[in-house]
Amino acid sequence: MARLLVVEDDDTIGRALRSSLAVHGHDVVWCTSGRDALQAGRDGRFDLVLLDLGLPDADGIDVCRDLRLTQPGAVLVILTARDAEMDVIIGLEAGADDYLTKPVGLAELHARVQAHLRRAETGSRAAADDGDGGSTVLGDLVIDLAGRRVLAAGIELPLRAKEFELLARLAAQPATAVSRETLMSEVWDEHWFRSTKTLDVHIAALRRHLTDLPPGTALPRITTLRGHGYRLDPPETG
Ligand code: CA
């Protein structure tokens, strides 16, 4: 049974989300304000958080940022209005892993929640099982698969779960084009059929991690392949 935090001030929507998730066997805590959500984030541990960005007493983006800190292991999914593209991008940059647009279809909600929970569980099991999961070395970058961490010239990069998985997936085939569809389905959701904005934001974050380092550090580069996807190019070797 997974522990879910639902943050939604609209009574009808909140009630529907809570009962739908509870019917599927999840333990659900429902908060109707930003203040309660922050408190819940400090008091307990959750596997997944559904966060409405339009809250009466707080900026949803601030709540998102705070929950990212208090719930580092949780999958953070923001709920936004259908046309709020900027909210989505800012939310993803503030630490969300994914988003759903309102009105949220309960079938889609359930499918998405299950996909996230399954993936989170598989990821931690793989890491636990595989004491010798090995690592991928690209110049000064070491991707420690067993330990789920990345070192750049010996310094650990503060990657979020999805950033790590995305980098590990690209690094599994260095210098090889990987399509957007492949990345979305393997890192996020096998039934992904919508916008891949989430992918672009995570790629941008990874690029920041890979450039914000002392000069002379030999790190791979993420190359954009227009109309296709991305490629991780190993650093030039002198
Ligand atoms: Ca709201």
Side-chain angles (χ1 to χ4, degrees):
M1 181 170 64
R3 246 190 128 224
L4 272 52
L5 175 64
V6 173
V7 185
E8 171 59 76
D9 60 300
D10 182 292
D11 198 59
T12 310
I13 299 173
R15 219 169 272 284
L17 292 176
R18 181 180 60 179
S19 58
S20 161
L21 293 166
V23 160
H24 285 102
H26 302 303
D27 177 13
V28 184
V29 173
W30 172 27
C31 296
T32 56
S33 70
R35 201 189 54 180
D36 289 354
L38 296 180
Q39 194 60 51
R42 292 195 180 95
D43 290 348
R45 197 194 60 78
F46 296 93
D47 300 298
L48 186 141
V49 178
L50 278 180
L51 169 66
D52 174 33
L53 288 182
L55 296 170
D57 63 327
D59 182 338
I61 297 293
D62 291 340
V63 176
C64 182
R65 228 173 250 125
D66 194 282
L67 286 172
R68 181 73 286 161
L69 295 175
T70 56
Q71 299 291 321
V75 178
L76 194 39
V77 181
I78 50 175
L79 304 176
T80 64
R82 192 160 290 287
D83 52 354
E85 184 158 326
M86 269 325 283
D87 278 359
V88 169
I89 292 171
I90 295 168
L92 290 166
E93 286 177 349
D97 298 294
D98 193 7
Y99 69 97
L100 282 166
T101 47
K102 289 180 163 187
V104 179
L106 293 180
E108 187 190 7
L109 169 77
H110 179 61
R112 196 65 69 78
V113 165
Q114 288 309 111
H116 277 305
L117 293 175
R118 199 166 48 236
R119 198 168 295 277
E121 195 189 314
T122 318
S124 48
R125 202 174 44 234
D129 279 356
D130 197 357
D132 188 30
S135 45
T136 304
V137 179
L138 294 163
D140 290 330
L141 190 78
V142 177
I143 303 171
D144 171 5
L145 297 168
R148 279 183 73 86
R149 60 185 182 152
V150 175
L151 303 173
I155 297 162
E156 184 168 352
L157 300 181
L159 298 189
R160 285 153 43 189
K162 290 293 180 198
E163 292 167 359
F164 174 83
E165 286 164 27
L166 182 56
L167 182 59
R169 176 60 189 83
L170 287 167
Q173 294 174 284
T176 305
V178 187
S179 74
R180 302 174 69 85
E181 291 73 22
T182 299
L183 292 170
M184 285 312 299
S185 75
E186 293 186 12
V187 178
W188 275 270
D189 184 342
E190 61 266 43
H191 303 299
W192 196 274
F193 54 93
R194 302 179 316 159
S195 149
T196 54
K197 221 173 308 164
T198 305
L199 176 59
D200 299 327
V201 172
H202 281 77
I203 289 280
L206 268 183
R207 281 195 173 123
R208 279 196 297 277
H209 285 300
L210 294 177
T211 50
D212 189 18
L213 288 157
T217 313
L219 294 177
R221 253 196 355 225
I222 301 172
T223 302
T224 302
L225 306 168
R226 301 226 172 275
H228 182 73
Y230 296 96
R231 187 181 65 220
L232 189 68
D233 289 320
E236 315 271 321
T237 46

